[in-house]
Structures are given as C-alpha cells and as structure tokens.
Amino acid sequence: MSAINLDYLVQPDRVHRSVYTDPTLFDLEMEHVFEKIWVYCGHESQVKKPGDYWTLQIGRQPMVMVRGEDMRIHVLYNRCPHRGVMLCGNQSGNTGKHFVCSYHAWSFKLDGRISAIPLAKGYDGTRLTFDDPQASMVPAARVDSYRGFVFASLSPTGPSLTEFLGDSKVAFDDICDRSPEGEVEAVPVCHRVMQRSNWKFFMENQLDALHPSVTHQSTGVPARRVENRLKAEQGKAPLFFHYLSTFASSFDQWDSVQTVNFPNGHGILKAYMGLRPTDPDTLEYEALMKKAYGEAKAEEYLSRSIHHVLVYPYLSVQSPLQQLRCLRPIGPDRTLSEIWHFRLKGVPEAIYRRSLWYFNLVNSPATMINADDLENWTKGQWGLQSKGGDWVSFHREHGRDTETDGVSYSNKGTSEVVMRNQFKAWKAYMQPVVAGAAA
Ligand code: FES
C-alpha cells in the first residue's frame, strides 16, 4: 500500500499507465470511489409499480432497485442474509409483494425487511431473531433522486446528491426541460456492451474533440456525401444523416467548440448538433414548449449549448437527444456500459423517433461509430499493458486553458484539459489510500 505514490502516478500533464491496468489500483478505486460516491441506479419509470425491480452494480456490489408498497424506491444489496445467495437473478421484473430466496425460501418485504422463514422454530433460542438487522436485506446507506433519476451511495457520509452532481446536474435539467411536461420516461430497453478496456478510456473519449474526425471518418465522410447528394437531388436529406455527417467535421471545427471542466471531474462538451430544423414536427414541438413555458423560457431550454455532459466517473449524458450511458466497471480491463434513451413526455412521436435514431445509429454497438470507439479502447488497453512505455500524454494545450473559480474552460476544443481535470478528481478521490497507508 505504501508503495502507491499518487503524485508520481498522476502528474499535471501525464499519468502512469498502471492507473489503467493495475488490479490493486482497480480494487482501491472501487473501494474509495465507486463504493462511496453517488452512483446512478436507474430512472424512476423503470420501476413503476410496487414489486418492480432492476438489478445493477455499484462498484463490486450487486444491488437491486425496487419500488416499495408505499411507492418509495429502495436500493438494497441483492443478497440473502441466510447464506448469501443473490435474491434476484434476472435483470428486471416484478417480484410481487416479497423477494423470495430460491435456495431455502426466506422471504423479504420490498424494503428488505425479513418477512418469513420456513420452519422458523428451528431458530428458537439462537442468536438469530426477526428484529436482528442481520436477518434482513441490507439497504444502501443513502438513496436520493434528481428529477426522476435515482442514485444511491454505499457510504453513510459525504456530500449530498446535489453537492456531488454540482454543475453536472444540468444534464438532467436539460433532458427534462425539453419536455413540455418537465419529465421523461426511460425506454425500458438498453444496449449493454462489455468493453475490453478500463473505464477511463470511455470517460476521456466522450469529451475528446480531437478523435471524431479521425476515428469516425469512415462513417462521417460517406454520410456527408450521401447527405449532400440527397440535398442536391431532393432539396433536403433526412435529419439522421446529420447525426453521422457531423463526425466528419474538420479539426478546425472541433477546435472551435469548448469544453467546460468542473470540480469532481464532471464536464460539458458544448455545441449543439443542429436539431432545430423548421419541419412541421419541430414547429409543432416548439409550439408545445412555448405554450408550456412561455416564449423566453422555451427558447432558453431549446437553445442550451450542450453536446455531452459527463458525471464523473461513470455517466455520459447527451441531453438534447435524451441519451444516457452508464459505466459499471468490472475489472481493470473490463467495463460494462449500459446505453439508455428516454422519451420526452408530451411531445409528438416524431420527436421521440429522433432520439431513437441517435440511439440506434450512434450509440448502438451495432453501428460503426460505437464499434470504432470500442476498437480504439481495446487497442489502447493492450498498448498500456505492454512495456512499450510508461506514460500516457495529456500535454495538449497544457497551461493554455482558462481557469475561474475551479472551473477550467478550454480555449481550444481539442485541449486535453478534459483528461487533466478528470485525473485531478481521481487523485483527490484516491487520497485516502495514501492517508490510510501512512496512518
Ligand atoms: Fe437464501 Fe437460504 S440462502 S434462504
């Protein structure tokens, strides 16, 4: 433990490759980061009725989010207190009024409290009693939600959810504000991808404005060619071509966007993918927004300049298109990503389909966009596992960004301030590792 020198591993302009590859560091970041901070569990609409549940992982812990009889949402360890068997083996479902263990049929109320044990007399006179918390499922230490998005923390102490989210909560405001009803609903189908790389590759990539015109050139350039041909032949092209052709923007165009990098590693890639055309569907939608919020507020909501919001260290939200990707790290070289999209309540079906297009055309593992990223991250992991060099470079535009009140604004869109800011947060989260070793 005392061998871990965070100042050596994370330097202002470079980091040591072991932070992506070392199993000991991975275990420590699960313990000191993911199993302490607020982790996204799911959206309230995933568990509408009492007994509805979704299983998920917080750090290395198997958890279940469930709607209680009183309509409160509980997040519990997915573990039977008898002999430890996981209570919910399925991804999701409805468990009725109780969780019932498949091994010896201990049953639990929806808030996790023990309900019944077969042949309970067998425990008479032993130290196991019904009022012993050790006979019940263990709840997450804290559960809270923000605009319908449910989070849990396994630590009883620490910042509140809104303090943790800080400026990144604009992700959820922007998603919900784009609905005339101020709410969204999860589409209960998510793509799940096992990435063969450390979770940090994904988080860095989301705000890495240098890579799209290289990595996604093979998709963006042909899409732009077809889009231009359709425009020349028919006067217009379907909007979804724009989703793909944008990836073929030039280096200069990417350099002209801005990243805003907040404390705790959160960040925003500004710029908006031109989603305010003047077709009848959009005009109908904008009229609904103005009716709901008034002209000025609707304009403010519709013109927010956001492409991605990162909630470090595990969420990427593309709020204008109602997309959310959540990382569940499995090992130093394995990361599960969940890819979700949401319906804006109270909008025409055509507006929903734009979200679905983006979900399927860009974020789906079946597309070249996602597949090309996945290939880079896998090759990145292999490279960092090699002895070909010890350092990962984040020198680009180092010292040339603007910092105000702890927020770093890139002066060039391709600045690696994004990665520098993320590792600043990572180092702060990991400080107890060093403090603990010194004690
Ligand atoms: Fe669950 Fe025995 S392990 S009832």
Side-chain angles (χ1 to χ4, degrees):
M1 184 87 66
S2 57
I4 293 173
N5 181 340
L6 291 176
D7 289 335
Y8 175 72
L9 296 175
V10 177
Q11 300 178 16
D13 53 2
R14 64 179 191 175
V15 298
H16 193 270
R17 67 186 177 94
S18 60
V19 300
Y20 300 80
T21 59
D22 187 306
T24 303
L25 280 174
F26 177 83
D27 284 344
L28 289 169
E29 64 190 14
M30 291 303 100
E31 181 184 345
H32 291 278
V33 188
F34 286 84
E35 293 172 12
K36 286 203 172 137
I37 60 171
W38 289 95
V39 169
Y40 178 64
C41 299
H43 190 263
E44 288 175 359
S45 59
Q46 289 169 238
V47 287
K48 286 184 179 150
K49 302 187 303 294
D52 284 352
Y53 70 85
W54 275 86
T55 58
L56 63 133
Q57 204 162 309
I58 296 182
R60 295 158 296 189
Q61 310 305 317
M63 309 297 291
V64 55
M65 172 175 78
V66 60
R67 178 77 71 171
E69 298 271 21
D70 57 0
M71 297 306 283
R72 282 183 54 215
I73 292 177
H74 305 278
V75 179
L76 310 164
Y77 283 80
N78 185 8
R79 177 192 186 277
C80 175
H82 180 213
R83 301 238 205 109
V85 170
M86 277 172 63
L87 286 157
C88 299
N90 290 340
Q91 176 73 54
S92 62
N94 185 289
T95 191
K97 290 183 182 304
H98 298 96
F99 292 109
V100 181
C101 183
S102 60
Y103 201 3
H104 313 99
W106 284 30
S107 64
F108 306 88
K109 298 187 173 120
L110 298 179
D111 61 6
R113 282 180 297 149
I114 184 77
S115 175
I117 297 177
L119 304 173
K121 281 193 175 310
Y123 291 96
D124 285 353
T126 74
R127 354 191 235 179
L128 190 124
T129 59
F130 266 57
D131 52 7
D132 182 349
Q134 300 223 16
S136 292
M137 294 169 74
V138 175
R142 293 181 292 166
V143 180
D144 201 353
S145 70
Y146 185 75
R147 299 202 69 167
F149 294 82
V150 180
F151 294 77
S153 165
L154 302 185
S155 169
T157 58
S160 67
L161 175 60
T162 49
E163 286 167 344
F164 165 74
L165 291 174
D167 289 303
S168 73
K169 63 179 182 301
V170 71
F172 311 104
D173 290 331
D174 192 41
I175 281 196
C176 296
D177 290 345
R178 288 174 186 273
S179 153
E181 297 179 17
E183 289 183 8
V184 294
E185 185 169 17
V187 179
V189 176
C190 80
H191 296 305
R192 300 173 90 228
V193 183
M194 187 64 80
Q195 300 168 188
R196 294 176 174 272
S197 61
N198 189 271
W199 57 271
K200 300 179 193 77
F201 277 103
F202 177 99
M203 294 305 286
E204 293 163 13
N205 188 81
Q206 297 311 298
L207 265 56
D208 179 338
L210 186 61
H211 89 282
S213 44
V214 181
T215 301
H216 305 304
Q217 185 186 51
S218 60
T219 301
V221 169
R224 174 158 292 171
R225 201 176 296 140
V226 177
E227 183 182 32
N228 288 342
R229 179 165 56 77
L230 290 173
K231 281 181 179 168
E233 290 172 1
Q234 303 169 11
K236 61 179 181 180
L239 182 63
F240 50 74
F241 278 100
H242 180 68
Y243 293 161
L244 299 173
S245 63
T246 302
F247 287 97
S249 302
S250 66
F251 283 137
D252 285 344
Q253 286 169 307
W254 285 111
D255 239 355
S256 69
V257 302
Q258 187 179 50
T259 62
V260 184
N261 302 280
F262 300 116
N264 288 347
H266 309 320
I268 294 178
L269 175 62
K270 294 174 86 169
Y272 188 64
M273 292 181 77
L275 294 176
R276 292 186 69 184
T278 52
D279 60 278
D281 295 323
T282 307
L283 295 179
E284 182 189 350
Y285 165 56
E286 295 204 355
L288 288 168
M289 289 290 284
K290 285 173 188 161
K291 190 170 168 206
Y293 297 113
E295 190 98 24
K297 210 68 185 162
E299 186 57 33
E300 177 193 325
Y301 291 161
L302 291 167
S303 59
R304 275 200 187 109
S305 177
I306 289 177
H307 182 54
H308 276 100
V309 183
L310 286 192
V311 180
Y312 187 77
Y314 62 85
L315 269 190
S316 168
V317 184
Q318 285 173 287
S319 45
L321 288 155
Q322 299 87 52
Q323 315 280 313
L324 179 149
R325 284 178 280 176
C326 181
L327 301 183
R328 313 281 183 195
I330 306 296
D333 60 353
R334 289 285 185 284
T335 306
L336 175 68
S337 73
E338 297 173 356
I339 307 164
W340 292 91
H341 72 302
F342 296 82
R343 262 179 201 277
L344 298 173
K345 285 193 178 174
V347 306
E349 181 69 10
I351 300 300
Y352 164 65
R353 298 202 77 77
R354 292 175 187 179
S355 173
L356 181 61
W357 288 339
Y358 201 85
F359 180 70
N360 283 329
L361 285 172
V362 177
N363 287 339
S364 161
T367 76
M368 293 309 291
I369 299 289
N370 189 294
D372 284 340
D373 283 329
L374 287 164
E375 185 190 341
N376 273 346
W377 305 336
T378 302
K379 291 191 297 190
Q381 189 72 27
W382 289 344
L384 295 185
Q385 287 169 187
S386 79
K387 293 180 181 170
D390 277 342
W391 297 100
V392 177
S393 159
F394 297 133
H395 297 82
R396 190 175 183 80
E397 300 293 332
H398 183 226
R400 293 200 282 268
D401 305 298
T402 302
E403 186 172 333
T404 309
D405 296 331
V407 180
S408 299
Y409 301 84
S410 69
N411 288 320
K412 297 273 189 186
T414 61
S415 169
E416 286 168 339
V417 63
V418 171
M419 300 78 188
R420 294 190 288 267
N421 190 56
Q422 291 183 6
F423 272 102
K424 194 169 150 190
W426 185 87
K427 194 173 174 182
Y429 277 127
M430 295 289 277
Q431 280 302 332
V433 174
V434 179

